[in-house]
């Protein structure tokens, strides 16, 4: 197995941990519909959702009338999505090597998904390749300075070092970084930093308990430190403090994300 195959296998296993579908359905259910509206998915549009997970954007796009293909590296997540809605196509695929022809889709989108693929430029090039000329690319990604970006920064000292060439996921939430990835392969860029109100955790402890049980990256970091009770305790304290620092009252938090929508140049442009 090559180093890249080993890395993808590790990612696949990480996202199968816990219950990401619960995160999508209970914590961030509005993000998918926001993206679907922003890209204008609807009847007559062929949509590819990359790193779709359990379908938090793919299913709303299908319900809006679009012809949707939902892909993800982790088959377990796709199976959950298929059980939620079998009216679209669910397919295992690597965001860095999409098994589709050039220009096959009117809209290519990803909701806090493609940001977790390790090689950013490869992913951006693939999104452009499978989008037709004059088509739409739409992304929702957590920002580095927002709550989830800061959560990853908090966990980083406790996580195994990433392999050479792998880039941090929250970089996809930096407008400057994403613009550089796409360059002149896209036009008509609209990039907005927005807030998602999360009010399902009454306390910081409730947030931590939920993420330790359900969110693959958090579970993986805790497993990596399971033999070191002092590290586990320190990580608990750091994540609790992060949640408390974002508490707006009664446990409500605002999580920042970047909404990025662009078009591929038309053939006659």
């Amino acid at each position: 197995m090559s180093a890249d195959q080993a890395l993808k296998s590790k990612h696949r296993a990480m996202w199968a941990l816990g219950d990401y579908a619960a995160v999508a359905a209970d914590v961030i259910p509005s993000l998918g519909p926001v993206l679907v509206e922003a890209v204008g998915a609807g009847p007559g549009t062929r949509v590819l959702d990359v790193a779709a997970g359990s379908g938090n954007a793919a299913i709303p796009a299908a319900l809006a009338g679009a012809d949707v293909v939902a892909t993800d590296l982790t088959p377990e997540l796709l199976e959950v999505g298929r059980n939620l809605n079998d009216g679209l196509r669910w397919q295992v695929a690597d965001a860095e090597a999409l098994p589709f022809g050039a220009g096959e889709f009117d809209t290519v989108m990803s909701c806090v998904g493609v940001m977790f693929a390790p090689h950013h430029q490869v992913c951006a090039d693939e999104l452009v390749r499978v989008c037709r000329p004059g088509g739409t690319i739409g992304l929702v990604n957590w920002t580095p300075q927002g709550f989830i970006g800061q959560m990853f920064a908090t966990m980083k000292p406790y996580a195994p070092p990433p392999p050479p060439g792998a880039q941090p996921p929250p970089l996809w939430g930096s407008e400057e970084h994403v613009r550089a990835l796409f360059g002149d392969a896209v036009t008509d860029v609209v990039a907005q930093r927005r807030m998602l109100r999360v009010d399902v955790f009454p306390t910081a402890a409730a947030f931590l308990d939920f993420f330790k049980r359900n969110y693959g990256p958090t579970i993986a970091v805790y497993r990596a430190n399971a033999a070191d009770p002092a590290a586990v305790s320190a990580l608990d304290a750091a994540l609790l403090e992060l949640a408390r620092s974002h508490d707006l009252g009664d446990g409500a938090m605002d999580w920042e994300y970047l909404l990025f929508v662009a078009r591929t140049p038309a053939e006659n442009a």
Side-chain angles (χ1 to χ4, degrees):
M1 181 183 291
S2 70
D4 187 62
Q5 288 173 325
L7 176 60
K8 299 297 173 61
S9 179
K10 183 178 179 181
H11 275 214
R12 185 182 300 113
M14 179 185 72
W15 287 106
L17 296 172
D19 186 358
Y20 183 75
V23 179
D26 299 340
V27 184
I28 60 169
S30 64
L31 279 188
V34 164
L35 181 57
V36 168
E37 181 180 3
V39 299
T45 57
R46 182 159 168 76
V47 175
L48 175 66
D49 188 2
V50 181
S54 54
N56 56 327
I59 291 174
L63 293 175
D67 178 13
V68 181
V69 178
T71 66
D72 200 274
L73 191 64
T74 304
E76 291 88 344
L77 295 181
L78 294 176
E79 187 59 30
V80 172
R82 186 178 291 110
N83 289 333
L84 293 171
N85 187 316
D86 63 359
L88 58 144
R89 179 174 156 197
W90 301 89
Q91 182 173 342
V92 175
D94 182 351
E96 298 182 358
L98 294 169
F100 306 107
E104 196 167 329
F105 297 91
D106 302 304
T107 299
V108 180
M109 65 180 186
S110 184
C111 184
V112 295
V114 75
M115 65 180 291
F116 292 102
H119 306 109
H120 296 187
Q121 189 63 62
V122 176
C123 278
D125 292 346
E126 279 292 271
L127 298 181
V128 171
R129 182 184 67 81
V130 299
C131 188
R132 69 166 174 82
T136 302
I137 294 174
L139 306 170
V140 163
N141 295 315
W142 302 119
T143 66
Q145 62 270 28
F147 179 81
I148 295 296
Q150 288 301 300
M151 186 183 78
F152 276 93
T154 300
M155 295 192 299
K156 183 178 179 179
Y158 301 90
Q167 294 176 279
L171 275 179
W172 274 95
S174 161
E175 179 182 345
E176 181 181 14
H177 180 70
V178 181
R179 282 182 177 271
L181 290 176
F182 288 110
D184 59 7
V186 300
T187 186
D188 300 331
V189 172
V190 176
Q192 301 173 340
R193 281 165 55 178
R194 296 186 178 186
M195 290 292 187
L196 172 71
R197 177 60 54 90
V198 176
D199 56 7
V200 296
F201 305 117
T203 64
F207 152 77
L208 182 58
D209 177 67
F210 183 91
F211 267 66
K212 287 173 73 171
R213 285 186 291 109
N214 296 301
Y215 194 59
T218 307
I219 296 170
V221 170
Y222 272 95
R223 286 190 177 183
N225 291 273
D228 186 348
V232 170
S233 179
L235 181 55
D236 279 345
L239 289 174
L240 286 169
E241 176 55 32
L242 177 68
R244 293 187 185 109
S245 71
H246 282 74
D247 189 348
L248 302 172
D250 295 327
M253 295 182 275
D254 281 342
W255 294 3
E256 188 180 63
Y257 64 92
L258 178 73
L259 174 65
F260 181 94
V261 180
R263 295 195 176 277
T264 52
E267 287 180 313
N268 60 355

